[in-house]
């Protein structure tokens, strides 16, 4: 009987009508995209159903159904797609009848040259195979009836879905592992010049995985934009199939122009940007969804329950998820950064950046719901221009957080927040770089450059300028002409909007304009020619800018790709920098000029001398920028950027460490500080400390409590170390970024009256207290200090002398620096 069916299929039942209709549909110039895929699936459904019914009549087979599964089941039929078919039967027909029925369907498909993925199973066999093979189970989730017994198909579909939901705690982790393995093999679709539209991360396979997660009822993907992104990827694959005449998912360079033309796009770059944007939407939805899956499964595993007196189950005491404060208005909840219950984003325009910085600093993702709430609030209350100092500091903190910056940045970008902060970003977003050396799109390269720069912040005196320059250095690639020249113009505008003073704006513009200067000079010019070195020296102007440009050059190359940086290139650039430094000669840290105490400082010092105790004053502080203009709110009022705390206390050993310890106990972050000694009434020196502080979160402490704790600390009755340790142990240990190690150096020639010890370290609660303790342990006197916090980086200079008030000998100064660095490590 099989032979007769075969002969009829080849003779009287050849699919000439279907082939002609299929060809007309694909080449007829009708609407492409979803309408064509729907029409092609419908046409194929009709043909296969006719084949199946005809074969069933010829063989007398009953108790069967033909089912489309996988991509065909979803109706995602591209021109060269496989037909995924399952011939389902209840076992009532004999093997010969089932074989004849199958042949009557499969052979006409093969005759047409259409790729076929087929199987013949009973419902029990189908479920058993699905349990053993995850990919089979995924295909059956999209089962769609074509012909035969509808009830048989519906019964299998219901059973498969029930199995999937029951087995979800086991199946979903396995599915996630498959997604991760596939991403490792095929890379990220958003950044590849020749991406695989199906297998790469953010491609069609990931979109299918999201459907499977939703079918489990455990979690669902964020839907906004997802369907449109999925459609654009399918449209690109359709055009690729028609352009190549092959069942390929790889968008090769030589086909990109033709595919772009078929989709009505301007050129291949426009095609790639559209594909990249779609892939990012799918990838971000995947990240959010898999986090939710892990959260739900973790909650199921770690939620012990006990019986109540009335037999009801209730959660165990103590198993409520902890909300750990991260920053003002931001807490960590179940592994994500979320908004605190008291947060008011509609009244706090800096909150989006503060939340992003806190999430990146602590290595946790930003909650999807938090980002969306922040996006709505930001649209109603954007940041004033120029930005307030806190916003600038939070941006620097976000950029300096290292690898965890990427996922937070992607979350902000998914909700359109990056282009609100930085409108010029739109021109470089998803922009491909058709250069084999570059492994990222322009926008991702800029973020990666900041990530690499974050590891080099100990090498520069202005880590904030390094990180901002890393973010901006290639922004000119979104404009015609030389991208360095265009970037210089953009850098001036953006730096001004960020609230940098004119001197910093000029430095950032110079860094962007000359970000290729060192690498091009080192690799293309004769370094033994004095004119070469002098030309670089003339361009960079001073040693501070040179060290910034050196670090930016390395970060840029490392973020470009493995071929852009090597030990040889590093040595050439290092040699050039050394030669230019010798020409510039004096890049020492200048000692700030002493100023006369203000009337308030004089009054506080006199009171401290007379009472032999600490005296403090607190003021809301609006710090002027280097041009003398104070930052303003949207209403034109001076923008508070912290609280200024003035402290006067009779001089004594260990004063800096004790004072900083008290501030740490009260959760006050030191943004800047100035320490110096005066003798107001000729009865002994009084130390004046002018701090700019901000509360980590919550309200500021009362002045009376602060003064009381200062007095106890200076009297030795407050055990700061024990209190800090007790507070630390009261909170669960949080994972976070691993910052570069601290660097402590001697700044030669900076002062004729003291030795300058410069500390560059990651800012953290109690850091200044630890530095003060370390300096105290070396036996030196701290004559004055200049404390500055730039984002998450502390750059502090301490002017120290020996017990007789003289600068330290060179050997002793180096020993002190080494001891302080060891203590901080």
């Amino acid at each position: 009987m099989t032979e007769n069916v075969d002969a009829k299929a080849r003779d009287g039942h050849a699919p000439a009508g279907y082939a002609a209709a299929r060809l007309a549909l694909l080449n007829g110039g009708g609407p492409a995209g979803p309408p064509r895929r729907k029409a092609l699936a419908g046409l194929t459904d009709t043909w296969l159903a006719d084949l199946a019914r005809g074969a069933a009549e010829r063989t007398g087979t009953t108790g069967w159904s033909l089912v489309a599964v996988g991509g065909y089941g979803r109706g995602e039929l591209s021109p060269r797609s496989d037909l995924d078919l399952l011939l389902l039967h209840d076992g009532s027909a004999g093997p010969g009848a089932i074989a004849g029925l199958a042949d009557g369907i499969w052979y006409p498909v093969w005759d047409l040259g259409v790729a076929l993925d087929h199987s013949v199973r009973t419902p029990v066999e189908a479920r058993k195979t699905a349990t053993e093979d995850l990919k089979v189970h995924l295909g059956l989730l999209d089962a769609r009836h074509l012909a035969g017994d509808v009830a048989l198909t519906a019964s299998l579909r219901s059973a498969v879905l029930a199995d999937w939901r029951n087995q979800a705690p086991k199946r979903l982790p396995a599915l996630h592992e498959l997604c991760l393995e596939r991403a490792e093999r095929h890379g990220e679709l958003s950044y590849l010049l020749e991406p695989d539209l199906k297998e790469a991360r953010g491609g069609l396979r990931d979109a299918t995985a999201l459907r499977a997660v939703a079918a489990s009822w455990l979690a669902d993907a964020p839907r906004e934009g997802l369907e449109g992104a999925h459609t654009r990827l399918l449209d690109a694959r359709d055009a690729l199939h028609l352009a190549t005449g092959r069942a390929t998912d790889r968008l090769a360079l030589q086909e990109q122009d033709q595919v772009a033309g078929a989709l009505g796009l301007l050129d291949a770059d426009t095609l790639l940007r559209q594909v990249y944007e779609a892939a990012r939407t799918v990838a971000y939805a995947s990240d959010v969804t898999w986090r939710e899956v892990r959260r739900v499964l973790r909650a199921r595993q770690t939620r012990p329950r006990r019986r109540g007196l009335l037999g009801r189950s209730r959660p165990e005491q103590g198993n409520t998820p902890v909300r750990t404060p991260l920053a003002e208005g931001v807490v960590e909840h179940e592994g994500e950064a979320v908004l605190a219950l008291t947060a008011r984003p509609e009244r706090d325009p800096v909150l989006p950046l503060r939340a992003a910085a806190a999430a990146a600093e602590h290595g946790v993702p930003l909650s999807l719901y938090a980002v969306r709430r922040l996006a709505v609030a930001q649209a109603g209350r954007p940041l004033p221009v120029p930005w307030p100092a806190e916003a600038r500091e939070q941006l620097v903190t976000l950029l300096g957080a290292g690898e965890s910056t990427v996922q937070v940045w992607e979350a902000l970008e998914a909700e359109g927040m990056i282009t609100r902060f930085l409108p010029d970003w739109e021109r470089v977003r998803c922009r491909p770089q058709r250069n084999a050396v570059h492994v990222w799109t322009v926008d991702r390269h800029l973020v990666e450059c900041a990530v690499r720069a974050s590891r080099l912040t100990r090498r520069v005196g202005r880590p904030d300028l390094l990180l901002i320059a890393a973010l901006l250095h290639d922004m000119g690639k979104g404009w015609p002409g030389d991208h360095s020249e265009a970037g210089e113009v953009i850098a001036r505008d953006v730096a001004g909007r960020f609230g940098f003073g004119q001197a910093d704006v000029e430095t950032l513009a110079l860094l962007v304009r000359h970000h290729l200067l060192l690498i091009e000079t080192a690799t293309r010019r004769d370094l033994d020619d004095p004119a070469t070195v002098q030309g670089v020296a003339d361009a960079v102007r001073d040693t501070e800018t040179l060290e910034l440009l050196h670090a930016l050059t390395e970060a840029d190359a490392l973020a470009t790709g493995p071929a852009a940086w090597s030990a040889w290139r590093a040595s050439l650039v290092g040699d050039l920098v050394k030669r230019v430094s010798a020409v510039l000669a004096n890049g020492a840290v200048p000692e700030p000029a002493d100023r006369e105490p203000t009337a308030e400082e004089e009054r506080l010092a006199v009171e401290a001398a007379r009472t032999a105790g600490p005296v403090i004053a607190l003021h809301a502080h609006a710090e002027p920028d280097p041009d003398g203009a104070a930052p303003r709110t949207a209403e034109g009022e001076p923008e508070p950027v912290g609280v200024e705390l003035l402290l006067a206390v009779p001089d004594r050993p260990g004063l800096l460490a004790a004072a900083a310890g008290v501030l740490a106990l009260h959760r006050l972050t030191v943004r800047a500080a100035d320490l110096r000694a005066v003798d107001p009434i000729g009865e002994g020196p009084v130390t004046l400390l002018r701090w700019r502080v901000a509360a980590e979160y919550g309200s500021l402490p009362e002045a009376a409590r602060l003064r009381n704790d200062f007095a106890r600390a200076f009297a030795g009755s407050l055990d700061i170390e024990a209190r800090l340790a007790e507070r630390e142990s009261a909170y669960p240990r949080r994972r976070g970024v691993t910052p570069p190690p601290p660097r402590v150096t001697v700044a030669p020639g900076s002062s004729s009256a003291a030795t300058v010890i410069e500390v560059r370290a990651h800012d953290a609660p109690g850091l200044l207290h630890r530095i003060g303790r370390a300096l105290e342990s070396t036996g030196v006197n701290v004559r004055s200090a200049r404390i500055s916090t730039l984002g998450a980086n502390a750059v502090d200079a301490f002017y120290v002398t020996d017990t007789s008030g003289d600068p330290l000998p060179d050997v002793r100064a180096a020993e002190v620096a080494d001891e302080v660095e060891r203590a901080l490590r």
Side-chain angles (χ1 to χ4, degrees), residues 15-346:
Y18 169 72
R22 176 189 174 95
L23 188 63
L25 176 64
L26 296 179
N27 298 322
R36 185 170 63 192
R37 284 190 291 276
K38 182 178 180 181
L40 181 57
L43 180 66
T44 306
D45 290 354
T46 301
W47 173 52
L48 290 173
D50 289 345
L51 288 176
R53 283 190 289 266
E57 290 175 4
R58 289 191 302 273
T59 59
T61 307
T62 59
W64 63 272
S65 67
L66 184 63
V67 184
V69 297
Y72 180 30
R74 295 188 297 274
E76 297 172 1
L77 207 55
S78 291
R80 293 287 176 173
S81 290
D82 294 355
L83 296 182
D84 298 322
L85 294 173
L86 166 64
L87 180 57
L88 193 65
H89 65 97
D90 61 9
S92 61
I98 295 299
L101 174 60
D103 288 348
I105 304 170
W106 308 154
Y107 276 106
V109 175
W110 287 328
D111 286 344
L112 190 62
V114 176
L116 176 66
D117 187 353
H118 62 88
S119 59
V120 180
R121 295 188 178 105
T122 65
V124 172
E125 291 170 341
R127 291 177 67 185
K128 182 175 183 295
T129 304
T131 301
E132 296 169 350
D133 190 328
L134 177 59
K135 294 180 180 178
V136 171
H137 208 158
L138 291 173
L140 288 173
L141 291 178
D142 294 307
R144 183 167 58 84
H145 182 75
L146 296 179
D149 188 344
V150 175
L152 191 62
T153 302
S155 175
L156 175 65
R157 180 176 171 80
S158 297
V160 166
L161 282 171
D163 290 344
W164 180 252
R165 288 161 187 157
N166 291 333
Q167 299 167 14
K170 175 183 176 182
R171 284 305 211 182
L172 291 184
L175 176 58
H176 189 208
E177 190 62 32
L178 279 179
C179 293
L180 294 175
E181 291 173 359
R182 183 164 30 78
E184 185 68 25
R185 287 195 308 272
H186 297 280
E188 294 198 54
L189 176 51
S190 300
Y191 308 111
L192 297 169
L193 279 177
E194 293 187 313
D196 189 307
L197 299 172
K198 187 175 184 179
E199 303 291 344
R201 180 175 180 267
L204 295 170
R205 289 276 194 208
D206 279 340
T208 301
L210 292 178
R211 289 172 56 93
V213 174
S216 74
W217 290 355
L218 281 187
D220 196 8
R223 292 292 171 182
E224 292 79 357
L226 186 59
E227 187 61 35
H230 187 209
T231 298
R232 287 194 295 276
L233 292 176
L234 288 172
D235 291 349
R237 185 174 68 172
D238 287 0
L240 178 63
H241 282 190
L242 291 174
T244 62
R246 294 179 287 110
T248 180
D249 298 306
R250 183 168 174 267
L251 191 56
L253 290 173
Q254 61 267 24
E255 275 101 33
Q256 289 177 8
D257 283 318
Q258 189 175 352
V259 171
L263 293 173
L265 301 176
L266 180 64
D267 54 24
D269 276 5
T270 307
L271 167 67
L272 282 184
R273 290 191 75 174
Q274 189 176 95
V275 167
Y276 290 165
E277 288 175 354
R280 288 192 189 182
T281 300
V282 174
Y284 178 64
S286 297
D287 290 342
V288 171
T289 303
W290 287 118
R291 284 205 307 269
E292 180 66 9
V293 168
R294 288 195 297 270
R295 187 193 67 78
V296 172
L297 294 181
R298 186 170 57 246
R300 287 188 172 190
Q301 295 168 356
T302 61
R303 189 187 297 151
R305 307 183 70 85
R306 65 177 180 178
R307 287 284 172 185
L309 294 176
L310 299 179
R312 298 174 183 173
S313 294
R314 64 181 182 183
E316 279 281 10
Q317 294 283 335
N319 286 302
T320 302
V322 177
R323 297 173 70 88
T324 306
L326 300 180
E328 180 65 30
V330 190
V331 298
E332 180 182 344
H333 179 67
E334 295 190 326
E336 292 184 323
V338 303
L339 299 187
L341 298 177
T342 57
R344 296 293 180 267
E346 63 279 359

Side-chain angles (χ1 to χ4, degrees), residues 351-353 366 370-376 378 411-422:
L351 184 56
L353 285 170
L366 260 178
V371 178
R372 288 184 174 171
R373 186 179 171 195
L374 290 169
V376 171
Q378 186 195 34
L412 296 176
E413 191 166 30
E415 298 302 324
M417 297 181 71
I418 296 299
T419 50
R420 294 186 195 171
F421 291 134
L422 188 57

Side-chain angles (χ1 to χ4, degrees), residues 469-548:
L471 180 68
L472 301 179
H473 76 278
D474 270 353
M475 290 288 285
K477 289 186 175 179
W479 296 84
D482 187 310
H483 78 280
S484 296
E485 294 178 0
E488 179 184 8
V489 176
I490 295 170
R492 289 182 190 278
D493 174 63
V494 172
R497 283 190 278 121
F498 284 173
F500 284 101
Q502 189 57 43
D504 289 345
V505 169
E506 292 300 324
T507 299
L508 286 167
L510 187 152
L511 292 172
V512 172
R513 175 67 180 87
H514 294 298
H515 70 272
L516 297 175
L517 175 65
L518 294 184
I519 191 70
E520 291 183 347
T521 303
T523 57
R524 302 177 186 178
R525 298 290 184 269
D526 180 8
L527 301 189
D528 290 325
D529 185 348
T532 299
V533 177
Q534 186 62 54
V536 175
D538 291 342
V540 299
R541 302 179 311 193
D542 55 56
T543 54
E544 183 181 73
T545 306
L546 178 63
E547 69 179 12
L548 284 168

Side-chain angles (χ1 to χ4, degrees), residues 622-768:
E623 179 182 292
D625 65 23
D627 302 320
R632 300 276 168 175
T633 65
E635 292 76 20
E637 297 298 322
E639 177 71 36
V641 293
V643 170
E644 185 175 77
L645 187 155
L646 295 176
L647 170 65
V649 61
D651 193 29
R652 66 195 67 196
L655 188 150
L656 176 64
V662 171
L663 296 179
L665 284 178
H666 285 273
R667 300 189 183 281
L668 292 174
T669 300
V670 178
R671 307 308 300 176
D674 176 85
L675 176 153
R676 58 200 182 91
V678 297
D679 190 353
I681 57 176
E683 294 184 5
V686 170
T687 299
L688 282 173
L689 297 103
R690 178 184 290 270
W691 312 83
R692 180 161 67 86
V693 299
E696 290 181 41
Y697 40 81
S699 58
L700 291 165
E702 295 178 357
R705 288 184 55 203
L706 269 178
R707 185 187 181 285
N708 183 54
D709 281 350
F710 278 131
R712 293 173 58 203
F714 298 145
S717 61
L718 178 62
D719 191 341
I720 294 174
E721 299 295 326
R723 288 277 301 276
L724 286 173
E726 179 184 348
R727 192 186 71 183
E728 184 71 21
S729 64
Y731 288 91
R733 184 171 295 276
R734 300 191 296 248
R735 69 185 184 277
V737 300
T738 302
R743 185 182 183 194
V744 183
T745 58
V746 179
S750 298
S751 172
S752 59
T755 297
V756 179
I757 303 296
E758 189 175 73
V759 179
R760 300 176 183 178
H762 184 77
D763 188 36
L767 172 66
L768 189 55

